[in-house]
Amino acid sequence: MTDLTTLEAELSASIAGAADAAAIEAIRVAALGKSGSISGLLKTLGSMSPDERREAGPAINGLRDRVAALLADRKAALEAAELDARLAAETLDLTLPAPPRRKGSVHPTMQVMEEMTTIFAEMGFQVAEGPDIEDDFHNFTALNFPEKHPAREMHDTFFFNPGLDGVRKLLRTHTSPVQVRAMQRTNQPPAAPWIAGAIEPPIRIIVPGRTYRCDSDATHTPMFHQMEGLVIDKGIHMGHLKWTLETFIARFFEVAGVVSRFRPHHFPFTEPSAEMDIGCDRSGGEVKIGTGDDWLEILGCGMVHPNVLRQCGIDPDVYQGFAFGLGIDRLGMLKYGMPDLRDMFESDTRWLSHYGFSAFAAPNPATGLS
Ligand code: DAH
């Protein structure tokens, strides 16, 4: 019995002194494991006489239960202490700045498109849209491109294989087909059949959108963006065209005014046709708009060809119009100093976060440009 008392005292002392879970486990194995001290004592019960066993059995079993309970208590106490220590050591400093969150930006082309739309909207233009997948009629024929004319090939057109109906569709090479769609719509009888006749011009539209040509270098990409402009009314002349474009360019580049010159050019859908240059200064290695005595080609334009008006059911003896086509990406490159057009559509997030705009800087007719 004295042995049991001593053993219990020793085990209690070492359990109380155990510093961690590993020490507790070592004591458990040494006492209660297969060849542990208490397990050894339990084994002796088998060889005892019934009288001895009646006395020793409860004593040894009692010892085993008490030691097991001490081990469990100490283990729980150690775990609780460990958790307290971790909680104390791992406090969160809520005053630390949060790690930066990835945020997207507005693509420069979209920003520039919004800026341009805002300016034209203030001048009374509406936005019109048309399909990217066009047919020959809208992209070429109705725009007065003669059948088999080399200009059709000049556009480096992406053609689709003819469909089951034998019609060959294409990706529009310019936004000009939307001129045709808008004029044709104007000449539709109104939806309400009791009002006689077609809806008459005036038309004042801009058409921002994607255009496609099989071409790729520093200033050309197979997909790019254009903005078409079209005005149809009575008594429209080149003076209106010149004022509209000069006013737009000055507003867009945020300068007091620009000078322009019109060089004769050829587009099948305008007569006369011109390319518009604006005065600029190239002396500092960058192009400055609004000053200087150099010229920068900026867009194509002209007076809508009578054949185009006729194709769309508008009488050229009553109505005249002007049209223009601008490269949106190109204007953006000029305004924001982006050197290579191809970068704009690479989806490189470094480029996008450098040149992109905050969504809060979106221009609109109420707040003006950014
Ligand atoms: N569609 C022409 C192009 O992509 C640009 C253009 C020139 C549009 C003159 C016009 C215009 O409306 O009048 O090259």
Side-chain angles (χ1 to χ4, degrees), residues 268-279:
F269 37 92
T270 41
E271 181 58 36
S273 302
E275 279 188 329
M276 182 186 177
D277 296 342
I278 52 171

Side-chain angles (χ1 to χ4, degrees), residues 174 176 179 213 226 228 267 269-270 300-302 323-325:
H174 51 179
S176 305
Q179 286 190 27
R213 289 184 202 178
Q226 280 192 344
E228 192 79 11
F267 298 108
F269 37 92
T270 41
C301 58
F324 55 88

